[in-house]
Amino acid sequence: MFAQVIQARTSNPQALDSAINRWLQDLAPGATGWLGSTSGVTEDGRAIAVVRFESEEDAARNSNRPEQDQWWSETSKLFDGEATFHDSTDVSVDVQGDPDQAGFVQIIQGRSNDPERARQLMDQDSDKWNAFRPDILGSVAIGHEGGAYTTVLYFTSEAEAREGERKEPPPELQAQMEEMNKLSVGEPEFFDLKRPMIISPT
């Protein structure tokens, strides 16, 4: 699997939503290997999109389409400055429910000093985590160079996500959280998407 993380700032989130809807209607049918996209704008104007394809080759073919180039040329005018792109083939998807029905999405970006151990901890006791946090419908974990990562979390709603954050985890899960925190380099950045656009092939 291949993922591309696109980030920028925008002062026109509604127009950006409209542009994504145009892509879904006009370009998605010809996007071979496209698996889905999650995007949104935070309340302070940070726009972020995570787009997944079956392979890097499929993503490249989509980027090379003339209609894709035209769409991007128009859409990029909605950004306040240049967009940044982070590509990765280190992608893991975990689904407990239907992420397409998520009412709230949180994207976390940070860096780990031991990405392999961090992944082991994320995969550990998944059944216990599912029982403890039923508000989480699924996740996408993306690894970048130098231990950097992007994690997409899909929640039933923001209210249930905040309630879940306040719950006291059982000791074994608390220990995993503490070890994960020790692996973190610096402070992670959070993108709270209260109006997420989650689109998948029909």
Side-chain angles (χ1 to χ4, degrees):
M1 192 184 298
F2 173 83
Q4 184 171 70
V5 183
I6 308 163
Q7 294 171 242
R9 296 195 71 90
T10 183
S11 50
N12 198 344
Q14 289 79 15
L16 193 56
D17 287 352
S18 297
I20 293 171
N21 281 324
R22 284 198 306 274
W23 188 91
L24 180 62
Q25 179 176 335
D26 300 337
L27 279 76
T32 303
W34 171 63
L35 297 174
S37 306
T38 299
S39 62
V41 180
T42 63
E43 290 183 331
D44 61 353
R46 290 171 294 147
I48 187 166
V50 177
V51 186
R52 293 181 298 113
F53 283 86
E54 290 182 1
S55 69
E56 191 169 2
E57 292 74 20
D58 286 331
R61 274 193 292 270
N62 177 67
S63 296
N64 291 332
R65 292 191 295 163
E67 58 270 37
Q68 174 69 26
D69 185 63
Q70 181 181 353
W71 176 85
W72 176 253
S73 178
E74 296 170 355
T75 301
S76 61
K77 295 174 184 175
L78 302 173
F79 298 138
D80 305 331
E82 293 294 319
T84 60
F85 298 81
H86 299 284
D87 297 346
S88 178
T89 55
D90 181 6
V91 185
S92 300
V93 177
D94 186 29
V95 176
Q96 293 92 50
D98 183 1
D100 286 355
Q101 300 302 313
F104 175 67
V105 171
Q106 187 174 72
I107 299 179
I108 308 166
Q109 290 188 321
R111 189 176 302 276
S112 171
N113 57 25
D114 190 344
E116 186 60 34
R117 178 55 181 161
R119 178 152 297 185
Q120 290 174 359
L121 288 168
M122 289 177 64
D123 293 339
Q124 195 171 313
D125 294 326
S126 58
D127 55 336
K128 294 179 182 178
W129 279 108
N130 294 346
F132 175 62
R133 292 294 302 272
D135 54 303
I136 300 177
L137 298 174
S139 65
V140 178
I142 305 167
H144 306 296
E145 291 183 2
Y149 64 84
T150 299
T151 301
V152 187
L153 295 173
Y154 299 87
F155 297 91
T156 50
S157 70
E158 183 180 11
E160 290 177 330
R162 300 307 182 195
E163 183 181 344
E165 288 174 354
R166 291 190 292 268
K167 290 167 60 178
E168 187 72 26
E172 64 271 27
L173 300 186
Q174 179 67 38
Q176 291 177 28
M177 290 175 63
E178 291 174 357
E179 185 175 353
M180 282 284 288
N181 290 336
K182 290 178 182 177
L183 298 177
S184 182
V185 179
E187 291 295 323
E189 182 176 8
F190 293 85
F191 298 78
D192 289 350
L193 307 183
K194 300 186 177 186
R195 296 187 308 107
M197 292 195 70
I198 307 165
I199 55 177
S200 301
T202 54

